[in-house]
Amino acid sequence: MLVVIVGPMFAGKTTELIRRVERQMIAGKTAVIFKPALDSRYDASSVVSHNGLKLRAFVVPSDEDGVRIIEREGAKYDVVAVDEIQFFPPSLAEVLDRLAYGRLVVAAGLNLDYKGEPFETTMRAMAYADKVVSLTAVCKVCGRPATRTQRLIGGKPAPADGPRILVGGAETYEARCRRHHEVPGRGIRP
Ligand SMILES: [Zn+2]
């Protein structure tokens, strides 16, 4: 079974991912979690302890090598979790689909980039999913449910011509609803 958890930043996707894995571990299943390393180093494994349960965690490159590691290592466990799936290439979706025969696979990822455009890997994984869990955050402007991630640079909405992934820069992010999500230069407003 493949469960895909989607939503904007600050929607609690990782918490929901871990919650679902922990339930299986309490039931005696073996579990592993994979996360992407954005600097493409293979930081091997660590063990995360929580509530007396031990969960093996791998940080893998966010490229085809990482996808191969997830396929090879994931096959050894009853439950496979993958966080931040939007950073992996779209081929991850087929791997998740294959692994989901005979085990539970839980994947979490951003639905849309800061411009409001779909991440291909999340989109493909959602298409293969047996269940999609769509989470919302809270809009920083109006307090209503937020489905989008606002990128701010120097406190102002980031323009549409920026890079899709920005790590470690001066930018910040907040959750916004459709009405308050601003992308100067994208030109989709009526
Ligand atoms: Zn709003």
Side-chain angles (χ1 to χ4, degrees):
M1 179 168 181
L2 173 59
V3 178
V4 177
I5 301 162
V6 299
M9 287 174 72
F10 313 110
K13 297 187 297 298
T14 301
T15 303
E16 178 65 15
L17 181 81
I18 299 292
R19 189 186 74 83
R20 285 172 179 264
V21 171
E22 279 188 354
R23 287 174 62 85
Q24 297 298 314
M25 292 173 72
I26 291 166
K29 304 285 170 78
T30 62
V32 62
I33 182 166
F34 297 96
K35 302 170 186 189
L38 292 176
D39 52 9
S40 88
R41 94 209 117 104
Y42 180 20
D43 202 8
S45 70
S46 61
V47 175
V48 185
S49 282
H50 191 235
N51 294 341
L53 300 166
K54 289 188 194 319
L55 175 60
R56 184 159 290 275
F58 287 93
V59 176
V60 300
S62 57
D63 56 15
E64 297 294 344
D65 285 344
V67 172
R68 278 191 286 274
I69 292 166
I70 291 170
E71 180 157 41
R72 190 185 67 226
E73 296 301 316
K76 301 172 184 172
Y77 295 83
D78 299 323
V79 180
V80 175
V82 186
D83 203 3
E84 306 270 26
I85 60 170
Q86 76 278 355
F87 291 135
F88 290 102
S91 62
L92 177 69
E94 277 70 37
V95 165
L96 298 178
D97 184 51
R98 283 200 290 278
L99 284 170
Y101 290 92
R103 65 182 59 72
L104 173 66
V105 178
V106 190
L110 284 173
N111 50 351
L112 304 169
D113 65 15
Y114 83 96
K115 289 184 266 193
E117 291 170 1
F119 277 107
E120 289 78 5
T121 304
T122 309
M123 203 162 54
R124 284 184 82 82
M126 284 169 73
Y128 285 119
D130 300 286
K131 183 181 177 67
V132 175
V133 179
S134 183
L135 300 178
T136 56
V138 177
C139 177
K140 270 290 245 208
V141 178
C142 71
R144 291 192 179 93
T147 52
R148 281 152 173 77
T149 303
Q150 178 72 51
R151 180 186 287 172
L152 299 168
I153 293 179
K156 294 202 170 75
D161 59 359
R164 189 170 219 196
I165 294 166
L166 256 184
V167 180
E171 78 292 346
T172 54
Y173 293 95
E174 57 187 38
R176 298 272 183 102
C177 70
R178 179 185 288 276
R179 188 169 161 229
H180 293 117
H181 185 247
E182 292 178 69
V183 187
R186 187 158 181 245
I188 53 165
R189 282 180 182 274

